[in-house]
Amino acid sequence: MQNISYVFISILGGLIVPLQLAIVNAFRNTSGATQIQSTFYLYIGGAIASLIIALLIDGGIKPPSYQNASWWMWMSGFLGSLYILCMFIAAPKIGATSTLLWVFLGQMLFATIIDSTGLLGVQIRKLDGLKLLGLGFILIGGLIMLYNEYRKISN
């Protein structure tokens, strides 16, 4: 139970995502910005927030040691932009709940692959039946939500 504070931090991070979806959708609707432009503005805001937090916590930002970082390690910001863009494209069409459920399932599936194989140097964590059962429950929940949406449209 020593990691319970990290569970709460993770839940806080999860609470932020639907809020972010709603805010950026409102921004897009009122500003006339496209979805990709809204993603760009979101990342400008994130960069400014990161700078302020780094100044407050670390006292500033120092240049990274470029020679120690592989090329693929620089892709995180690019992938983050794609992640956000995918959610911003899907949410207005299928709703925040469905979007986040399918994003969550995708995250869990790939995180399971990363954990169980040690991909990208993470510590290997054994894949077992209970983890697979949990993924199955998420999938079943998503299918129930899809069925419910289909049922509403066909009535």
Side-chain angles (χ1 to χ4, degrees), residues 2-3 13 29 47 98-99 101 113 122 150 154:
Q2 66 193 32
N3 292 331
N29 290 335
S98 290
T99 298
L101 178 114
I113 291 167
V122 302
Y150 175 76
S154 62

Side-chain angles (χ1 to χ4, degrees), residues 37-128:
Q37 291 167 354
S38 299
T39 302
F40 173 75
Y41 294 122
L42 171 102
Y43 269 86
I44 287 176
I48 292 167
S50 294
L51 175 62
I52 292 168
I53 293 168
L55 289 170
L56 293 173
I57 293 176
D58 294 335
I61 294 179
K62 65 176 187 157
S65 299
Y66 297 102
Q67 64 273 18
N68 296 332
S70 297
W71 67 270
W72 56 268
M73 294 176 182
W74 295 95
M75 292 189 57
S76 180
F78 173 74
L79 294 173
S81 291
L82 287 179
Y83 164 74
I84 295 295
L85 182 61
C86 288
M87 287 194 306
F88 292 168
I89 290 170
K93 303 295 183 190
I94 64 173
T97 303
S98 290
T99 298
L100 291 177
L101 178 114
W102 296 111
V103 164
F104 179 66
L105 180 60
Q107 289 173 336
M108 292 303 297
L109 288 172
F110 200 61
T112 301
I113 291 167
I114 290 171
D115 275 352
S116 64
T117 62
L119 188 65
L120 303 174
V122 302
Q123 178 183 354
I124 294 177
R125 298 187 185 273
K126 185 180 174 195
L127 179 61
D128 59 27

